[in-house]
Amino acid sequence: KDGKEDGPFKHYYDDGKLKQEGNWKDGIRDGLWKSYWENGQLRTEETLKDGIRDGPFKSYYENGQLEQEGTYKNSELDGLFKTYHDNGQLRSEGTFKDGKEDGPWKWYHENGQLESQGTWKDGKNDGLWKWYHENGQLDQEGNFKDGKDDGLWKSYYYDGQLEEERTYKDGELIDYKEY
């Protein structure tokens, strides 16, 4: 229409398999768009409004497992966001606000054990964060203030024994002890 793409669209790989499909409106991508891996598995599905991401988004591994899911609002991530390992196990979950991490987040090892947890504030690490070994033992813990290491940080061996203590002020290391 007027030299602009308009209506349903499909793009194919050289072997004839579907690569991408969606809808054009006055030369701008609009509505649900999907892309596919060469093996035919769904790769991404996203909703666009006037050419920008706005609505649910999902991406998949080539094996068909869900890789990540979330929601875009005016082209920025907003709300609950999850990622997954290629074996289907949850990898991370947390929230975005205006395109920045905001609120509590958790990450998981491929075996399902908690890997780390902490809070983001306006895209910066904030407050107490903890990391864990794959066996579930605490690996490291420490505080952030405005995205910088702050106060006492402790690291632990795989068996749970204290390995070291570090003290930070405004992101600068001011004291260190090894055990």
Side-chain angles (χ1 to χ4, degrees):
K1 185 165 99 171
D2 297 329
K4 295 179 182 172
E5 294 184 82
D6 200 71
F9 169 83
K10 289 188 177 186
H11 182 69
Y12 298 88
Y13 286 102
D14 290 340
D15 64 4
K17 289 183 181 165
L18 186 60
K19 184 175 185 176
Q20 188 178 42
E21 63 181 332
N23 194 61
W24 290 93
K25 184 178 171 186
D26 295 326
I28 298 171
R29 296 187 327 151
D30 196 73
L32 181 63
W33 277 75
K34 294 180 180 181
S35 66
Y36 300 88
W37 292 99
E38 283 189 69
N39 67 7
Q41 290 281 358
L42 186 60
R43 187 175 190 163
T44 61
E45 53 185 345
E46 61 186 347
T47 305
L48 291 105
K49 186 177 179 184
D50 298 326
I52 61 169
R53 289 177 169 171
D54 197 89
F57 166 82
K58 289 183 179 179
S59 67
Y60 300 85
Y61 289 102
E62 201 166 354
N63 68 7
Q65 287 284 352
L66 185 60
E67 181 182 18
Q68 52 182 291
E69 61 182 334
T71 302
Y72 280 91
K73 186 176 175 183
N74 294 322
S75 208
E76 293 187 330
L77 285 167
D78 197 77
L80 183 62
F81 183 77
K82 293 182 178 183
T83 64
Y84 301 86
H85 292 282
D86 61 6
N87 67 2
Q89 284 278 357
L90 185 63
R91 175 183 244 152
S92 68
E93 63 180 336
T95 55
F96 278 89
K97 185 178 177 185
D98 300 325
K100 295 178 182 176
E101 297 93 340
D102 198 77
W105 275 73
K106 289 184 178 180
W107 288 263
Y108 300 90
H109 289 286
E110 210 163 338
N111 66 8
Q113 286 279 356
L114 186 62
E115 182 178 351
S116 61
Q117 61 183 357
T119 301
W120 292 86
K121 187 176 180 183
D122 204 26
K124 293 180 181 177
N125 311 69
D126 189 67
L128 180 63
W129 278 65
K130 292 183 178 186
W131 290 263
Y132 301 89
H133 293 287
E134 282 191 49
N135 66 1
Q137 288 282 351
L138 189 60
D139 177 18
Q140 186 173 219
E141 62 183 335
N143 281 287
F144 286 96
K145 187 175 180 182
D146 292 325
K148 295 178 183 174
D149 299 355
D150 190 68
L152 181 62
W153 280 67
K154 294 181 179 182
S155 295
Y156 301 88
Y157 291 105
Y158 200 74
D159 66 3
Q161 294 296 311
L162 184 62
E163 180 181 359
E164 63 181 28
E165 292 181 331
R166 300 177 312 279
T167 304
Y168 294 90
K169 184 171 173 69
D170 296 323
E172 298 290 323
L173 182 64
I174 58 172
D175 193 29
Y176 174 83
K177 272 189 210 172
E178 197 171 312
Y179 295 92

